[in-house]
Amino acid sequence: MRVKDRIAVLVFVALLCVVFFAQNTVVPFFSDDLWWHGSIDTQSVSTFVQSVFKSQQRMWMTENGRAMNHLVLQLTVAGGERLYDLFITLCLVVTIVSLRRLTVSRGSSSEFWPWVVIAVLLFYAAPDCDSLFYWAAGGCNYLFPSAMTMCTLLMLRRVVAASVDAFGMVWSCVLAFVAGWTHETFALPVSFALLVYVVCRPREVPCRLWLVILSFWLGASLIVLSPGTWHRILTTQGGEFNLLARLLTSFKVFRYGRFFYAVVALVVWLALSRRRSLRDFLRYESFFLWCLLGALGIVFVLGVGGRAVWSVEVFSLIVLLRWLNHEVRSVSRWVNAGVAALAVLIVVHQACLVAPFRESWATYSDMVVLRSQMPKAENCVPMQDWHSSNVLVNPFVAHPYKMMRDDVWMRMPLYCTVCKPEEYAILQRGIPLDGAVRVGDDIYVAYSDSVMSEIERGAWVYDLRVFDNTSPDGGAMYKAWHRTMQFLFPSRYPLRAAVSPSAVTRIRVADHEYLRFERPYLPVQREIEAVVRAH
């Protein structure tokens, strides 16, 4: 790469990281971050170790097996917001650089454009790009695993080339183990691709490579063997394994995939017009295609979408860039000029988002101040749903209400529930004592001991309806699909569901106490149409 190209890359990546750091500095810890913030006892070394061990043990047994993610999250959150901001910015650097190095193999393109394409994935095309990396629980569960996995794949390349000494082998095994124990959406697809590799080429796998692969598999197995992982799968999927239902539910990937579409289009184009090139493509990119297939398998079989599609997009980007680096040896100066202009626009646009980030999270700060001024007995506060009318701003800004719209508990430092101002005003005036009343998106019942005992006996049920998704990429198709699911699998997707006492939140507003019914945690998201006493 020419000197001026190196300088351009260095400046571009540095500016992206500065802007990314600035955006993170205005997003405080909230939700899961605050739970981890209080999970470490720093009175002594022994209490510190015990608190870390106990919290990680609880997560591994009851939540999921991502111990390395949780450990990093716990330690960075305990170190304060600036430590996390520096750490996640470092993860961004590692991810960008390692992705670029992974895509240079079948040809040594030294163009500037691949760096810009990687930036597009990270800042615009990533699933839930407005919230994925801007809170500690998100960054440590998605950006950190991607950085560790990409580093491990680069290290595997060096091990295959026998370019590491004994000391390097030790660190390679440690890195592989840690990367394998991070996140299932990366660990399992890579494990699957490694399995295919060693099965297809058993005589080409030297002993040193076996050591690293086994280390990675050991880490990944600790995710699979986690009781919390299986509890989460069974709870989310309704406690049963219906492959057809999960495959149908998995259409969500098509609502979040971006680069995945490009890979599909590339394969179709090669199959129709360049079949010999298709064979070469499948042969040379087989490992990453197996990784992509494994990532898709998780989405399809478990029927998950959103952030889970992040690994699908990462592996899709690798496949695309590797093919483009081989096919595109050089580009015209006009294309280079266009790419440079795009790079400038990305940096400027992201820099312009810092102020909206600050404004949106000011609503969170105002809520904390308001809560501190309220009577201790009152545990519900109003929060304005921040938004911008600018289409270049609103879709890319992480703000509290949007990031936590599916989480009733904001888990602020003072641990209270939140509602929109208009809902808060209604609750201040009181609601009828008999029956349930919809207030905004939630349903409330006036609290009494008799109502609570009825709920505990199972005398209350939800009437459910299809989740009202009116976003541009969902809408009518989303509703029609889920109505079909309900028709095909009525027992799995019932029109009614029993109210669990754990799904009811007791809150107080002014002189009134209420029970708020949360949306049930079911395989296909539904809204509560009504809450009624069962007859």
Side-chain angles (χ1 to χ4, degrees):
M1 182 180 288
R2 295 171 298 180
V3 174
K4 67 176 184 179
D5 292 330
R6 291 180 182 272
I7 294 175
V9 169
L10 180 61
V11 171
F12 178 61
V13 174
L15 289 176
L16 283 179
C17 292
V18 169
V19 172
F20 183 73
F21 177 82
Q23 291 170 345
N24 273 278
T25 57
V26 298
V27 179
F29 290 149
F30 71 103
S31 188
D32 294 348
D33 304 349
L34 295 172
W35 184 90
W36 285 108
H37 190 275
S39 66
I40 291 183
D41 187 343
T42 58
Q43 293 183 356
S44 65
V45 175
S46 61
T47 57
F48 171 81
V49 173
Q50 289 176 7
S51 61
V52 170
F53 178 78
K54 287 181 179 179
S55 57
Q56 296 300 331
Q57 182 185 42
R58 186 192 71 81
M59 290 295 292
W60 194 80
M61 292 296 297
T62 62
E63 297 293 332
N64 57 63
R66 309 168 191 168
M68 292 300 168
N69 297 349
H70 297 152
L71 179 62
V72 169
L73 171 60
Q74 188 175 26
L75 296 179
T76 53
V77 167
E81 293 179 2
R82 294 296 81 81
L83 175 63
Y84 167 74
D85 298 336
L86 289 170
F87 169 76
I88 205 63
T89 303
L90 176 62
C91 289
L92 179 73
V93 176
V94 173
T95 301
I96 292 174
V97 174
S98 57
L99 278 173
R100 180 63 190 119
R101 292 188 62 187
L102 277 173
T103 56
V104 181
S105 60
R106 298 173 53 212
S108 56
S109 171
S110 59
E111 303 290 346
F112 177 58
W113 61 266
W115 298 90
V116 180
V117 175
I118 293 172
V120 170
L121 167 68
L122 290 165
F123 290 94
Y124 298 99
D128 295 332
C129 66
D130 60 336
S131 65
L132 189 58
F133 310 133
Y134 298 106
W135 56 312
C140 291
N141 272 289
Y142 294 94
L143 192 56
F144 168 68
S146 62
M148 294 297 296
T149 304
M150 299 307 108
C151 286
T152 301
L153 294 176
L154 283 173
M155 174 268 300
L156 283 171
R157 181 187 295 178
R158 295 190 60 194
V159 173
V160 170
S163 58
V164 293
D165 55 17
F167 183 74
M169 280 298 303
V170 173
W171 280 109
S172 296
C173 292
V174 172
L175 174 63
F177 174 74
V178 172
W181 203 2
T182 52
H183 199 292
E184 63 275 8
T185 57
F186 282 100
L188 299 186
V190 173
S191 296
F192 175 63
L194 290 173
L195 178 62
V196 174
Y197 177 82
V198 299
V199 169
C200 295
R201 306 177 183 179
R203 297 181 180 180
E204 299 179 23
V205 183
C207 180
R208 61 181 181 277
L209 183 57
W210 269 114
L211 290 175
V212 180
I213 292 175
L214 290 174
S215 298
F216 189 90
W217 283 348
L218 177 60
S221 67
L222 292 174
I223 296 178
V224 176
L225 296 175
S226 163
T229 297
W230 290 100
H231 175 265
R232 183 170 183 171
I233 291 173
L234 295 175
T235 301
T236 305
Q237 302 299 330
E240 60 181 273
F241 187 88
N242 187 315
L243 181 59
L244 177 59
R246 295 189 184 187
L247 288 174
L248 291 172
T249 306
S250 65
F251 87 102
K252 296 175 186 177
V253 68
F254 301 112
R255 299 177 58 238
Y256 294 96
R258 305 293 188 273
F259 285 93
F260 171 68
Y261 281 126
V263 172
V264 173
L266 173 62
V267 172
V268 172
W269 176 68
L270 290 176
L272 294 177
S273 61
R274 300 173 59 182
R275 293 185 179 180
R276 181 173 297 179
S277 296
L278 176 61
R279 289 195 295 269
D280 293 338
F281 170 75
L282 296 177
R283 182 171 68 254
Y284 286 118
E285 310 305 337
S286 59
F287 182 83
F288 291 105
L289 287 171
W290 284 119
C291 288
L292 176 57
L293 183 62
L296 285 170
I298 293 177
V299 174
F300 288 156
V301 174
L302 297 184
V304 293
R307 298 181 182 118
V309 185
W310 168 239
S311 61
V312 174
E313 291 293 274
V314 170
F315 291 125
S316 297
L317 174 70
I318 293 174
V319 170
L320 282 173
L321 284 183
R322 283 171 62 86
W323 182 81
L324 287 171
N325 274 314
H326 180 259
E327 295 293 321
V328 182
R329 296 297 182 176
S330 62
V331 295
S332 67
R333 62 176 182 174
W334 297 107
V335 173
N336 279 327
V339 170
L342 179 60
V344 172
L345 287 175
I346 290 174
V347 172
V348 171
H349 179 246
Q350 291 297 319
C352 291
L353 293 178
V354 176
F357 264 71
R358 183 180 294 107
E359 293 171 6
S360 67
W361 282 94
T363 63
Y364 178 88
S365 301
D366 292 344
M367 184 171 57
V368 173
V369 172
L370 178 62
R371 176 66 182 91
S372 66
Q373 297 171 348
M374 296 173 71
K376 292 183 179 180
E378 192 165 346
N379 65 347
C380 185
V381 298
M383 182 179 73
Q384 184 65 45
D385 183 7
W386 184 95
H387 69 278
S388 171
S389 58
N390 190 334
V391 296
L392 297 177
V393 172
N394 197 61
F396 308 104
V397 174
H399 49 91
Y401 199 89
K402 184 176 182 181
M403 292 176 72
M404 300 306 298
R405 61 187 180 274
D406 294 333
D407 188 353
V408 172
W409 291 96
M410 284 294 292
R411 280 170 277 190
M412 301 188 320
L414 295 169
Y415 293 87
C416 66
T417 59
V418 299
C419 57
K420 291 185 177 181
E422 58 271 22
E423 298 177 20
Y424 186 79
I426 294 174
L427 295 175
Q428 276 186 312
R429 296 194 297 267
I431 61 175
L433 296 177
D434 186 26
V437 176
R438 177 177 291 277
V439 181
D441 294 329
D442 300 304
I443 292 181
Y444 293 84
V445 170
Y447 172 80
S448 69
D449 293 337
S450 61
V451 169
M452 196 65 222
S453 63
E454 289 177 354
I455 292 174
E456 291 173 350
R457 293 198 310 269
W460 287 73
V461 296
Y462 295 117
D463 280 339
L464 304 172
R465 66 180 178 186
V466 176
F467 182 59
D468 187 14
N469 188 328
T470 57
S471 61
D473 59 346
M477 175 184 173
Y478 191 93
K479 295 180 183 179
W481 186 277
H482 287 310
R483 289 193 183 98
T484 303
M485 294 288 292
Q486 202 162 40
F487 174 77
L488 293 175
F489 307 101
S491 61
R492 182 175 174 80
Y493 304 112
L495 295 173
R496 279 196 164 191
V499 174
S500 169
S502 62
V504 179
T505 303
R506 181 178 175 180
I507 66 171
R508 183 179 180 85
V509 180
D511 296 326
H512 308 285
E513 279 194 283
Y514 306 102
L515 294 174
R516 174 162 63 181
F517 294 82
E518 303 179 16
R519 188 170 64 201
Y521 196 38
L522 298 170
V524 176
Q525 286 189 338
R526 257 77 47 83
E527 287 185 318
I528 304 173
E529 179 73 35
V531 177
V532 296
R533 288 184 174 91
H535 298 290

